[in-house]
Amino acid sequence: MKVLSSEITLGIAPGSVVITDTAVDSFFKPRFEQVILGNIVTRSTELDKELAEELLNCSKEIPNFPTLIGHTMCTYDFYEGQGRLDGALCCFSREKKLDYLKKAYKAGIRNIEMESTVFAAMCGLCGLKAAVVCVTLLDRLECDQINSAHEILVEYQQRPQLLISKFIKQRLGFQSQTS
């Protein structure tokens, strides 16, 4: 299971936990492309749907814990690849950025990061049930800069670990014990 604590979100409130059902590339395709011996090999990035549902159900037992299932877009870089306007280089307008991010939202993407496609592809190749669990820190449809207080960000960053630890305890039969 991959747990991330600092993610960018699309159209959902900061602090929400996103359980990824499918990792997609920057074209919104569920694939990971890798060059092997000069050839492009494309692998699926579908994740285990039952595991995602199980994690979502587990999250419902945690008070004040906004959680949803959605696609995660994986990009090659943090700035231009994610449509950010606050990097050193930027070759597009705010309107182009918002148009792209709105298309991503319509395609089911709820957060953006940089590792999920390779993780999903490798787990699938190995036959492993896998999940990606992220917490969101800001809504990219609203802004590019994180402006929450440090204490709030620390609490947000603990949410994926809280969910995964609760899930593991349930799987081990320790659900009656407190976290």
Side-chain angles (χ1 to χ4, degrees), residues 8-178:
I8 306 307
T9 179
L10 292 177
I12 56 175
S16 298
V17 173
V18 177
I19 301 165
T20 305
D21 58 355
T22 302
V24 299
D25 64 14
S26 296
F27 297 104
F28 317 148
K29 303 286 185 194
R31 66 184 179 197
F32 172 69
E33 294 183 337
Q34 180 178 12
V35 178
I36 301 174
L37 302 176
N39 298 304
I40 296 175
V41 176
T42 304
R43 296 192 167 115
S44 172
T45 56
E46 298 284 330
L47 291 160
D48 190 273
K49 307 288 190 246
E50 289 179 22
L51 181 55
E53 285 293 332
E54 200 174 338
L55 285 162
L56 182 64
N57 289 334
C58 186
S59 76
K60 293 175 183 174
E61 299 174 20
I62 304 170
N64 302 316
F65 202 83
T67 309
L68 63 131
I69 294 176
H71 299 346
T72 294
M73 182 169 66
C74 184
T75 65
Y76 291 131
D77 70 279
F78 185 72
Y79 291 99
E80 287 186 300
Q82 294 186 14
R84 297 177 67 95
L85 298 169
D86 58 347
L89 301 172
C90 182
C91 301
F92 48 84
S93 66
R94 176 169 163 55
E95 293 75 26
K96 292 274 187 190
K97 165 201 157 173
L98 288 173
D99 182 54
Y100 178 73
L101 294 178
K102 287 176 183 177
K103 286 177 185 173
Y105 185 84
K106 286 180 185 174
I109 295 165
R110 295 300 177 263
N111 65 310
I112 307 170
E113 48 80 280
M114 297 171 51
E115 306 89 12
S116 60
T117 55
V118 67
F119 176 81
M122 294 302 115
C123 288
L125 185 63
C126 295
L128 300 173
K129 287 185 174 188
V132 174
V133 179
C134 307
V135 69
T136 60
L137 300 181
L138 73 145
D139 182 352
R140 287 295 312 292
L141 294 172
E142 300 294 325
C143 62
D144 288 341
Q145 292 288 316
I146 298 170
N147 54 19
S148 298
H150 176 74
E151 298 76 29
I152 292 172
L153 294 174
V154 169
E155 192 268 322
Y156 287 172
Q157 290 180 353
Q158 293 172 350
R159 289 181 179 181
Q161 292 85 354
L162 178 64
L163 175 56
I164 299 305
S165 65
K166 182 163 189 55
F167 173 78
I168 291 169
K169 287 176 183 178
Q170 282 185 351
R171 279 284 181 101
L172 294 174
F174 299 132
Q175 63 264 34
S176 62
Q177 296 180 1
T178 59

